[in-house]
Amino acid sequence: MSRIPEETIQQVIAATDIVALVGRSVKLRKAGTNFLGLCPFHNERTPSFNVSPSRNTYHCFGCGAGGTAIRFVMEHDGMSFVEAVKRLADAAGIRIEEEVWDANAEAEAKHRSLLLRAHREITEWFHQLLMKHKIAAPARDYLKSRGITAEVAKNWQMGYAPPHGAFFREWAAQAKIPESVLVEAGLFVQSDEDSGRRGTYPRFRDRLMFPIRNDHGDVIAFSGRILDPEAKTAKYLNSPETSLFSKSKVLFGFDRSKRAISKAGEAIVCEGQIDMIMVYEAGFQNVVAGQGTAFTELHAKLLKRVCNEVVLCYDSDNAGYKAAERAFQILSPIGLTVKVASLPQGEDPDSLLRKEGTEALQTVLGDAMDFLEYQIRRLRASAKSDSMVERVRMAEQVASAISIFTGVAQRITAVNKVAKLLEISEEQLNAMVKRAASGDKNSHGGQRAGDSPVNVVDEAKKLLASQHKTAALLCQMALTDAEVMYWLRESDCEEMLREVPGTELLSLLVHSRHDPLEETAQLVFMAGLERPQEAAFAQLQASPRPSGGLEDAKLALCSLELARLQNLILGLQAKQRQPGLSSTEIAELQERVIELIAKRKECLDRTKPTPNSFSP
């Protein structure tokens, strides 16, 4: 595995403006020397997310998330430690020279790089075929019929996959990419022995190709649209799941639109690639599309990181409504407000733009309504009458949607609104919601959609709660006072750290080797810890700085030693009471107890409070 030198990590952290970094996805306002905003890691209405430019760290007082700029990129963008450091290094113009200490991991990194190169080079080849080769004339004709210009095709590097394998093999030979890599990348398929075929063949043939990119803009997969209307095969074909691509984790166009989504606080979600591209090119750049599959919780979390509201812009048919309903069930439980843009019957975003222009789409998006209101309108449109019986039937269906809300305030607001729209009592609707919620719990084995296991924030809170109060105080002192840190490292406290429960965080500091006078070195130390440990240290850093200096730290450590000695004395006294001990063994235990009591007295004398001193 490759390793980034600690000195380089320090340079990256020092060169990163954490306020600017966080500010790209969180709206921050200045509050004294720090900045405040709504936490991107949990749902909140009152800002408790604190960014400290002086410490170059962040901390949420609501959920406990916290750490360095590296940790923020890891958590916010779902990256590994090395990937996060590299992204920040690229942004700061810092060159990274990795130290290789694991040959297997280095080989794995090179193989991943080869897979990415295969995707990058075949994307360019597909694109050149589309733009210039006579074999791609039907694909160019199709684009013209959809109003897609050559400029748009270039902007999105659209391509054409030829119908015959010979073209692919000639390209692969010139690009010097092994066939095994093409199979692993999902570009070639291994023939099934039962089919009568031998060897491999291209997955995409005679298709208009759309490159699918990750957050960094690297091509990791493709979606291919069939061009022959008579072909008996899937209209759209996506790359299979690979080590690079998982369709449940990637939203088409997100690499381009995430900044616009963050700025708008809202994401427009379309069903297909062409819809997404044309909406983007029309000036609505806060738009993404799925990958031909239902919305997943990972998609929802991806959007939640950069916005609080989603506008579903699906086809106006029944299938579009069902897709919107499924998306609501995934998006809403994690705190996203879900609206639906009601397109004219028979239209999709692309066709509406071609027929009526950008103003028509702007009107549709501007008139987007809350999902519950949209659901009620559809139910009323298909109802046989507006009788009380019909309204109660509709209320039962809407109650199921309301039950998805996890927040009390959300439910109260929704019940109030729906009760008025359907002209039924809130008490009656509340009873329906309660029944629906109970049914959801039963059907999900007691766990509602959107619930998740204990996360890192909970683990950090538990870790802090398990720490000895005096040990936690010493951690704060060491984090803010270099003299205390140097002294702790030189003190003889190994036995105390080993035997006193709740000193795990203090032990990490004592055994650390970073220079406490170098702020970035301390951040690098934190960034290298387990996630709950880093969040715990970030919370300690964000708490009010304790008064006192080195002498108070000495008294605190002495207090912990008192706790160790007391535990030992009690343990020995318990042993003395065990049956079957010889007189010699009892005498030896008693001698040891007397020795420890004498040491305890020495400690007690040292911890007697003096003016302005620490009091355990």
Side-chain angles (χ1 to χ4, degrees):
M1 184 183 295
S2 57
R3 176 181 177 274
I4 301 175
E6 188 170 309
E7 297 78 11
T8 304
I9 298 173
Q10 288 188 35
Q11 290 176 11
V12 169
I13 290 178
T16 301
D17 181 344
I18 194 167
V19 175
L21 173 72
V22 175
R24 284 197 283 270
S25 52
V26 178
K27 291 181 181 178
L28 298 173
R29 62 176 175 82
K30 196 162 177 38
T33 58
N34 295 336
F35 290 80
L36 283 177
L38 293 173
C39 180
F41 303 114
H42 83 290
N43 302 326
E44 63 177 6
R45 295 184 181 276
T46 304
S48 58
F49 189 76
N50 188 289
V51 181
S52 171
S54 60
R55 295 192 184 109
N56 222 8
T57 60
Y58 69 93
H59 175 71
C60 177
F61 288 96
C63 69
T68 63
I70 295 172
R71 179 62 63 187
F72 183 84
V73 174
M74 289 171 68
E75 297 298 324
H76 192 271
D77 296 337
M79 293 186 171
S80 68
F81 179 82
V82 172
E83 288 172 333
V85 173
K86 286 181 177 180
R87 174 181 282 192
L88 293 174
D90 288 342
I94 296 172
R95 183 181 176 186
I96 290 182
E97 294 183 4
E98 300 178 47
E99 299 171 348
V100 179
W101 56 279
D102 187 321
N104 290 333
E106 179 67 9
E108 185 180 331
K110 286 183 177 179
H111 185 64
R112 177 182 170 84
S113 179
L114 183 57
L115 285 173
L116 287 171
R117 181 170 77 84
H119 280 88
R120 183 171 61 249
E121 293 193 12
I122 203 170
T123 298
E124 181 59 32
W125 181 61
F126 283 156
H127 182 62
Q128 291 303 319
L129 288 178
L130 174 67
M131 302 305 291
K132 298 179 180 179
H133 203 288
K134 61 181 180 180
I135 199 173
R140 292 191 291 271
D141 290 340
Y142 173 78
L143 291 178
K144 288 177 185 176
S145 72
R146 296 292 298 260
I148 300 173
T149 65
E151 183 180 359
V152 171
K154 287 178 183 177
N155 286 347
W156 294 86
Q157 213 173 5
M158 295 179 195
Y160 173 71
H164 306 298
F167 283 91
F168 286 89
R169 298 187 191 283
E170 182 180 349
W171 164 80
Q174 292 177 351
K176 296 181 179 179
I177 296 176
E179 191 172 279
S180 60
V181 172
L182 297 175
V183 171
E184 187 178 345
L187 297 168
F188 272 31
V189 179
Q190 187 70 47
S191 296
D192 187 346
E193 292 181 2
D194 296 335
S195 69
R197 285 181 173 178
R198 291 184 179 181
T200 62
Y201 60 94
R203 179 179 300 276
F204 301 101
R205 301 182 303 281
D206 192 26
R207 287 180 180 266
L208 179 65
M209 301 297 289
F210 298 93
I212 298 171
R213 302 174 188 270
N214 61 18
D215 284 4
H216 316 302
D218 301 316
V219 179
I220 56 173
F222 292 94
S223 181
R225 191 196 190 285
I226 197 70
L227 292 168
D228 181 2
E230 303 299 322
K232 296 180 179 179
T233 184
K235 188 176 183 180
Y236 279 92
L237 178 65
N238 284 345
S239 292
E241 300 272 318
T242 68
S243 58
L244 295 179
F245 173 61
S246 174
K247 61 185 178 182
S248 66
K249 298 178 182 178
V250 182
L251 288 169
F252 183 79
F254 187 71
D255 59 302
R256 290 200 181 194
S257 62
K258 58 186 175 183
R259 288 191 179 180
I261 292 172
S262 177
K263 186 176 180 181
E266 176 188 89
I268 303 166
V269 179
C270 298
E271 288 187 86
Q273 285 94 356
I274 289 181
D275 282 335
M276 181 273 162
I277 289 171
M278 299 315 290
V279 170
Y280 185 97
E281 291 292 332
F284 307 93
Q285 296 187 346
N286 55 321
V287 59
V288 292
Q291 299 293 351
T293 185
F295 240 86
T296 69
E297 188 175 348
L298 294 171
H299 290 143
K301 288 180 177 179
L302 195 65
L303 291 177
K304 179 59 180 171
R305 290 170 183 166
V306 289
C307 69
N308 293 312
E309 185 172 284
V310 170
V311 177
L312 302 175
C313 198
Y314 291 170
D315 292 355
S316 55
D317 55 14
N318 193 55
Y321 169 70
K322 291 295 183 184
E325 190 174 35
R326 289 193 297 269
F328 169 80
Q329 292 168 356
I330 296 296
L331 294 164
S332 188
I334 69 164
L336 284 163
T337 299
V338 181
K339 292 185 174 181
V340 180
S342 190
L343 291 161
Q345 193 65 34
E347 303 289 359
D348 56 34
D350 171 46
S351 64
L352 182 64
L353 281 167
R354 281 187 281 117
K355 292 177 182 177
E356 300 184 37
T358 57
E359 289 185 6
L361 181 60
Q362 177 68 68
T363 299
V364 166
L365 293 172
D367 292 340
M369 65 189 77
D370 176 83
F371 176 81
L372 297 178
E373 185 178 350
Y374 171 76
Q375 185 181 33
I376 290 169
R377 287 196 182 187
R378 281 192 63 93
L379 291 170
R380 273 199 153 143
S382 60
K384 296 176 181 179
S385 69
D386 196 38
S387 66
M388 175 57 76
V389 172
E390 281 292 308
R391 294 203 302 275
V392 169
R393 182 185 63 81
M394 288 185 265
E396 290 282 3
Q397 294 185 56
V398 180
S400 181
I402 297 174
S403 72
I404 290 171
F405 292 131
T406 54
V408 175
Q410 277 182 306
R411 282 199 187 184
I412 291 173
T413 303
V415 166
N416 178 268
K417 183 175 184 178
V418 170
K420 288 179 179 177
L421 287 171
L422 292 177
E423 300 176 64
I424 64 172
S425 72
E426 290 185 25
E427 291 77 9
Q428 191 178 8
L429 184 56
N430 267 318
M432 295 176 187
V433 172
K434 189 174 181 180
R435 285 197 299 273
S438 176
D440 284 348
K441 286 178 182 178
N442 292 335
S443 64
H444 291 286
Q447 182 174 332
R448 285 184 51 74
D451 288 349
S452 59
V454 177
N455 58 24
V456 64
V457 171
D458 295 325
E459 291 173 17
K461 287 181 178 179
K462 287 181 180 179
L463 178 58
L464 275 176
S466 71
Q467 297 303 288
H468 195 291
K469 288 184 179 180
T470 304
L473 179 68
L474 266 173
C475 285
Q476 281 187 280
M477 289 180 167
L479 288 168
T480 56
D481 190 328
E483 187 180 20
V484 172
M485 179 73 84
Y486 286 130
W487 170 77
L488 271 174
R489 287 173 177 170
E490 294 170 1
S491 63
D492 184 16
C493 60
E494 283 302 320
E495 286 186 340
M496 183 270 294
L497 291 173
R498 190 167 54 250
E499 296 171 8
V500 177
T503 58
E504 293 80 11
L505 292 179
L506 181 60
S507 181
L508 286 171
L509 278 180
V510 170
H511 294 114
S512 68
R513 290 292 172 261
H514 69 275
D515 185 350
L517 291 173
E518 288 286 338
E519 185 179 339
T520 54
Q522 184 163 284
L523 296 175
V524 170
F525 155 70
M526 289 171 59
L529 299 174
E530 295 293 325
R531 293 163 66 194
Q533 293 169 344
E534 182 181 9
F537 274 121
Q539 185 166 331
L540 287 173
Q541 267 195 333
S543 300
R545 179 175 177 172
S547 59
L550 181 58
E551 291 306 312
D552 298 283
K554 289 179 178 179
L555 289 173
L557 192 65
C558 195
S559 177
L560 286 174
E561 177 65 9
L562 262 176
R564 183 184 81 87
L565 292 171
Q566 185 64 21
N567 288 341
L568 289 174
I569 291 169
L570 291 173
L572 290 172
Q573 289 173 338
K575 283 185 179 180
Q576 285 179 312
R577 292 191 290 271
Q578 290 178 355
L581 292 177
S582 66
S583 57
T584 302
E585 288 173 328
I586 293 172
E588 288 176 351
L589 288 170
Q590 183 60 28
E591 186 179 343
R592 179 63 178 146
V593 168
I594 292 170
E595 181 185 328
L596 290 172
I597 289 174
K599 287 186 177 181
R600 183 180 65 180
K601 185 178 183 306
E602 290 177 15
C603 266
L604 279 169
D605 291 340
R606 290 200 301 272
T607 57
K608 285 179 181 177
T610 57
N612 300 320
S613 70
F614 167 82
S615 181

